[in-house]
Amino acid sequence: MNDEQDRPLRFLRSWALERRQRQAGDGDGEAHAPLAGYADFVLSFRHAGPAADAQAALEDVVKRLAHAGLSVEVRAAQCARRHGRSATFEAVAGQLLLFIECPRSRLEHEWSRSRLHDWLGGMVALRRGADGSLEVDSDAQDDPSRLIVHATDELAELISVSERQRLVQRLVTGAEGEGGAAIGAADGVDAVVAMHDRRFNQRWLRHWGGKWLIDRRDLRRIREHFGDEVAMYFAFLQSYVLWLAFPGVAGAAWWALGRSFSWQFGVLLVLWGVLFTETWARRQSDIATYWGVHGVERARESRRPEFRADRYVIDAATGERVPAFSGAQRWLRRLLGVPVVAALSLVMAVFIALIFALQTFLSEFYAGPFATLLGLAPVVLFSACLPAYTALCTRMAAVLTDYENYEFEAEHAAQFTAKIFVFRFLQDQLYLFLTAWVFVPYRDVFGGWVHGAYSALSTDKAATLKFSATPAAELVQNMLTGFVVTSQLVGMATETGLPLVLRWWNSRSLARASQASTATGDGHNHEASGIPGTGDGHRHVLSNMLAVAPTGVDTWIESATDADAPADIQQQFVARVTEELALPEYTTFEDYAEMASQFGRVAFFSVAWPLAPLAALMNNWLELRTDAAKICSATRRPTPRRVESIGPWLDTLRFMCWLSSITNALLIYQFHSNCAFLPHADADAMQRFGRTSLSFALVVLLFSEHAFLAVRWAVTRVMASWPGAYARITERARARSRRRWLDKAPSVLRDLAADTASDLSQDTAGNLAADSDDASIGAGADWRAELELGRRAIACWGKPKAE
């Protein structure tokens, strides 16, 4: 077995040779050539049963991969073990690594099939014109055979790294009836992962760490390396950062002037939310057009492996029998999930309300022993219990969405997001809602209940209880400030900071084992680390977090030798692959959810604390860099997916914009002290409760909500008057298509299309003159007589009638 494990990895040598050739051709070694990262994919195979069953399962997996046209190399997983100040490599029991490569011929076939499927699905083929502008590829639209890749074509110019991985991943996990291997968890494969290209990662972080904003070229590189989904997220985050600058600067000015709960700032926030969401809807459509993926979600290229059909239907485009699932049965399953989601949401709401009541009691009423220390108890309880319950709700939402059996990934993601949004909304916003519109207006009622209940239990009421004296507006502001600042700091630490530190600490054993096996001098030699540039004086914290790779692997890859990798180098390489497989999977869901929660706080409550948009702006500017570091070092490499939008999150943001028109209006009505068009309130009542008239609050709510709808309608109408990139490109293509058709049309049709007003008038006049005596036309054909009659009638205008 050891001899087999020492057998050279073919793909590692070929990948290193190709990397050196690209570097020699590019000069600076820029990673734009299709180097997918060593092998195309690595499969983690585990089996807990007897050895005979495991061998049979492995044989089935390998045969299906080979039948799909993929090359496979199998190795035992390895890890580095510390022994004091040194470490060694050891095999991981019960785990095998399957390195997958896709031959050129199979990749050509899959690429051609993908392009043809896009054409059948209604996607428009685009190309760059002679002037560099994007235009419709009319030849490919009229003749789909031009979409096929030929043996003489250079794949490096056609297929990016991410596109190659997307195609290979579909071969690995796609249905066998569609040419795939249908590999999944049921086969003992618990992970299908592409390896990180650490050279690219470090250059990416170093490049972004030295600039304020990212541009189109940065997004193009991310798209070519990680795919459309990751690039679209960074495009959205960049746009969000830029749009936050407007309310951030305005909010800082209002805060400096001491003007909280300003109606002018509230109107600005609502208008900002509408403009941001609607302009982003246009922006994402233009991005999808420039990237050539406009309509990809409509094309529905590949079905989910988990989809289970109950019948077959005839596809309208191809005429093939395709699997389908009853829409009525799916709606029935949706309805069955509604009470489950409602029950989980109710339990979460009750739990949050109890935590809120406990914190309110300890902070506003309790004055006994250990008051400060006990005040931390609700925070600890909230932090300890709510994430676990949220994870349970997320799991239930995933089970319900899988039960609904969606055919395509876009539909599945939309329904899953809709369920999760309910839980996230309660978790992120309910605390603030309870503070502003439950406790503050009725604080005396709660105070009476607390004192009454405590009096029944204790006679020393005065020594341990107090009355809530914090001003109402200040209470809301303090709660909002704590939530915004704390959530951002804790989120950044748990999402990026802690995983990076743990990854660095765990990787020390891998580095020590590498140094022990290679024995190439000083283990602290940065030039031997395989990370270019770490020995210079321009160090970046985030990029240096990646300097944990084995010393020998990268050095051998950069060397000039064409020989196979030595056994110790392969050990280091396999150990590094095993380490990456242990990382959590990356999805954009959590990042979008975090931005949606933050957008809600900014849109709902910034009138109470005008610095909230500025805090969000600074956090998100840093989030661009920390999310990049998280992808590079704290998670597995993302699996490329084609998308044309941010999916259901845009509808989520639009809903929050609508709700913000209500929350801002109610906060301004409740806490604005001297607004001319609001009813006057007693100063003491205003300080303790704010305005509490429910009838007037309902009037304010209805007025603000209708005003919001009017503003959104106006904004959408104005934006519709400027066509987007897709509309402009397709309109130009239709015009060119009509002109090409006229060039080939008969002369009569060309004359009809090209005749002018003067030609028409001359021809018509001649025809009328020639036919004026034609009895079949009738008296109406004598137009000269009719004209004279009309002139006489005009001449009589204004003349008195004869008696």
Side-chain angles (χ1 to χ4, degrees):
M1 182 66 182
N2 291 335
D3 294 338
E4 291 296 322
Q5 293 302 316
D6 293 340
R7 180 165 48 89
L9 286 165
R10 299 187 306 273
F11 75 87
L12 184 57
R13 177 174 179 268
S14 62
W15 186 90
L17 289 174
E18 189 173 359
R19 158 64 68 86
R20 295 164 199 152
Q21 292 173 2
R22 300 299 180 191
Q23 291 176 358
D26 297 339
D28 60 350
E30 188 65 30
H32 65 265
L35 294 173
Y38 310 103
D40 287 312
F41 277 93
V42 181
L43 277 59
S44 173
F45 177 84
R46 298 176 186 269
H47 200 284
D53 294 343
Q55 291 173 353
L58 177 63
E59 180 181 358
D60 179 62
V61 169
V62 173
K63 284 184 176 180
R64 281 153 58 185
L65 290 170
H67 183 71
L70 301 171
S71 301
V72 185
E73 291 188 73
V74 182
R75 292 292 185 276
Q78 296 194 21
C79 65
R81 301 291 185 186
R82 278 202 194 97
H83 303 285
R85 298 182 62 109
S86 63
T88 58
F89 294 109
E90 297 178 6
V92 178
Q95 183 180 12
L96 294 177
L97 305 182
L98 281 64
F99 296 94
I100 306 299
E101 273 193 302
C102 184
R104 176 191 168 97
S105 58
R106 189 69 177 94
L107 192 62
E108 289 175 356
H109 177 272
E110 198 64 19
W111 172 242
S112 301
R113 176 177 175 272
S114 176
R115 299 187 73 192
L116 184 59
H117 192 284
D118 292 343
W119 182 81
L120 290 173
M123 290 182 63
V124 178
L126 302 176
R127 67 183 177 188
R128 291 289 175 183
D131 58 351
S133 62
L134 204 62
E135 62 182 27
V136 174
D137 190 347
S138 303
D139 296 334
Q141 287 295 112
D142 299 337
D143 184 9
S145 64
R146 296 177 178 269
L147 299 172
I148 298 176
V149 179
H150 301 285
T152 57
D153 296 330
E154 179 59 44
L155 284 180
E157 299 177 359
L158 297 176
I159 306 179
S160 64
V161 175
S162 62
E163 189 67 8
R164 174 179 180 132
Q165 289 185 345
R166 182 185 68 84
L167 296 173
V168 178
Q169 193 265 349
R170 191 174 67 179
L171 287 175
V172 174
T173 62
E176 293 185 80
E178 299 178 356
I183 301 299
D187 305 300
V189 176
D190 60 355
V192 180
V193 182
M195 285 196 64
H196 278 293
D197 185 343
R198 300 197 175 195
R199 186 187 184 109
F200 175 89
N201 289 350
Q202 193 195 34
R203 290 188 176 188
W204 176 27
L205 294 181
R206 178 166 297 175
H207 179 64
W208 280 25
K211 60 191 308 184
W212 286 95
L213 298 174
I214 60 176
D215 53 32
R216 288 185 178 181
R217 291 194 303 172
D218 298 322
L219 292 176
R220 188 188 73 239
R221 292 192 188 100
I222 297 306
R223 176 177 177 256
E224 291 176 351
H225 196 77
F226 293 115
D228 299 327
E229 186 178 31
V230 176
M232 184 67 76
Y233 165 71
F234 280 109
F236 165 77
L237 185 55
Q238 167 86 339
S239 180
Y240 183 34
V241 168
L242 294 176
W243 272 92
L244 277 171
F246 180 52
V249 173
W254 255 277
W255 178 80
L257 296 174
R259 299 180 59 185
S260 300
F261 301 103
S262 167
W263 69 268
Q264 295 95 336
F265 188 55
V267 171
L268 183 146
L269 280 173
V270 174
L271 182 61
W272 166 80
V274 174
L275 289 174
F276 168 63
T277 53
E278 298 307 320
T279 54
W280 171 252
R282 169 66 60 83
R283 170 72 174 154
Q284 71 178 8
S285 176
D286 290 348
I287 289 175
T289 301
Y290 296 137
W291 290 353
V293 292
H294 196 287
V296 69
E297 294 175 2
R298 183 179 64 252
R300 297 178 171 182
E301 181 175 1
S302 182
R303 292 176 180 84
R304 298 175 60 246
E306 299 83 4
F307 173 70
R308 296 293 179 265
D310 62 353
R311 58 196 173 96
Y312 284 83
V313 297
I314 303 299
D315 187 274
T318 63
E320 299 176 342
R321 292 179 72 249
V322 295
F325 187 74
S326 170
Q329 190 172 356
R330 180 175 290 125
W331 271 105
L332 178 61
R333 294 187 178 189
R334 283 187 186 179
L335 294 176
L336 292 176
V338 170
V340 178
V341 175
L344 292 172
S345 302
L346 180 62
V347 172
M348 176 177 284
V350 171
F351 175 75
I352 294 176
L354 292 175
I355 296 294
F356 170 79
L358 178 61
Q359 182 175 9
T360 302
F361 167 74
L362 293 174
S363 61
E364 295 296 319
F365 299 105
Y366 182 71
F370 309 107
T372 304
L373 185 61
L374 290 176
L376 300 175
V379 177
V380 174
L381 190 61
F382 187 90
S383 302
C385 298
L386 194 60
Y389 185 74
T390 303
L392 172 63
C393 294
T394 303
R395 177 59 184 161
M396 290 299 301
V399 171
L400 291 174
T401 309
D402 290 339
Y403 176 66
E404 292 165 10
N405 196 27
Y406 291 99
E407 188 173 1
F408 299 100
E409 189 63 38
E411 299 172 337
H412 183 274
Q415 294 301 321
F416 178 71
T417 302
K419 296 178 179 67
I420 290 298
F421 172 73
V422 178
F423 306 131
R424 291 298 184 102
F425 185 84
L426 293 174
Q427 177 181 344
D428 297 332
Q429 314 297 343
L430 184 59
Y431 227 85
L432 295 169
F433 284 6
L434 290 174
T435 302
W437 295 302
V438 176
F439 174 71
V440 168
Y442 305 104
R443 65 197 309 179
D444 281 356
V445 176
F446 288 113
W449 291 350
V450 170
H451 284 268
Y454 199 83
S455 298
L457 300 175
S458 175
T459 57
D460 193 12
K461 178 177 65 174
T464 56
L465 287 185
K466 62 181 180 180
F467 287 93
S468 176
T470 307
E474 183 180 341
L475 193 63
V476 175
Q477 291 170 335
N478 293 340
M479 185 70 70
L480 175 64
T481 304
F483 259 81
V484 170
V485 176
T486 303
S487 63
Q488 291 181 356
L489 293 178
V490 172
M492 188 169 298
T494 57
E495 180 184 338
T496 304
L498 184 60
L500 284 175
V501 172
L502 292 177
R503 177 84 190 279
W504 168 80
W505 180 262
N506 292 332
S507 298
R508 288 177 26 168
S509 59
L510 196 58
R512 289 177 179 175
S514 170
Q515 294 165 7
S517 61
T518 54
T520 54
D522 185 5
H524 299 282
N525 183 0
H526 292 292
E527 290 301 318
S529 67
I531 304 296
T534 52
D536 59 23
H538 303 284
R539 298 191 176 189
H540 296 271
V541 174
L542 294 180
S543 61
N544 283 340
M545 295 300 291
L546 296 177
V548 296
T551 59
V553 176
D554 300 287
T555 304
W556 176 81
I557 288 173
E558 302 297 331
S559 66
T561 179
D562 292 340
D564 289 318
D568 56 345
I569 296 296
Q570 292 192 166
Q571 279 186 323
Q572 298 167 33
F573 177 78
V574 172
R576 187 163 79 181
V577 174
T578 307
E579 181 193 9
E580 287 191 15
L581 287 171
L583 296 175
E585 181 182 3
Y586 174 79
T587 63
T588 58
F589 177 84
E590 288 297 332
D591 290 331
Y592 278 126
E594 180 185 356
M595 291 299 106
S597 299
Q598 183 198 86
F599 180 84
R601 293 195 186 100
V602 170
F604 295 160
F605 300 105
S606 290
V607 290
W609 189 49
L611 287 180
L614 184 61
L617 170 64
M618 294 186 293
N619 174 83
N620 293 351
W621 183 88
L622 188 59
E623 187 85 12
L624 275 169
R625 282 81 186 163
T626 57
D627 282 348
K630 177 180 67 176
I631 291 174
C632 291
S633 189
T635 66
R636 299 172 184 170
R637 181 169 176 168
T639 300
R641 285 186 60 238
R642 294 199 300 176
V643 298
E644 60 177 321
S645 67
I646 63 174
W649 294 107
L650 179 59
D651 293 332
T652 300
L653 297 180
R654 283 172 168 164
F655 170 77
M656 289 185 177
C657 283
W658 168 79
L659 191 59
S660 71
S661 67
I662 297 175
T663 58
N664 280 287
L666 291 179
L667 286 171
I668 293 169
Y669 161 72
Q670 188 174 0
F671 298 113
H672 197 293
S673 57
N674 55 358
C675 187
F677 51 81
L678 291 177
H680 177 73
D682 179 72
D684 182 64
M686 192 70 191
Q687 183 181 20
R688 287 185 55 78
F689 315 109
R691 298 180 181 88
T692 57
S693 173
L694 294 179
S695 58
F696 206 94
L698 181 61
V699 173
V700 170
L701 183 152
L702 293 175
F703 173 79
S704 61
E705 193 262 350
H706 283 71
F708 167 82
L709 296 178
V711 169
R712 187 168 66 178
W713 177 85
V715 170
T716 54
R717 292 301 95 194
V718 171
M719 292 191 63
S721 62
W722 284 284
Y726 184 77
R728 295 195 304 269
I729 292 172
T730 53
E731 181 58 33
R732 286 199 302 266
R734 282 193 291 267
R736 291 172 183 172
S737 177
R738 289 191 291 265
R739 286 197 297 270
R740 288 198 308 271
W741 180 83
L742 285 174
D743 291 340
K744 301 177 182 178
S747 59
V748 176
L749 295 178
R750 289 200 301 270
D751 293 341
L752 285 174
D755 59 6
T756 61
S758 59
D759 295 336
L760 180 62
S761 61
Q762 292 175 3
D763 293 344
T764 305
N767 292 335
L768 289 176
D771 296 338
S772 59
D773 297 332
D774 192 346
S776 64
I777 296 179
D782 190 0
W783 60 274
R784 294 182 180 85
E786 298 299 324
L787 177 61
E788 185 61 26
L789 181 63
R791 287 175 175 172
R792 292 176 183 176
I794 293 174
C796 295
W797 288 356
K799 293 183 179 181
K801 292 184 179 180
E803 294 295 336

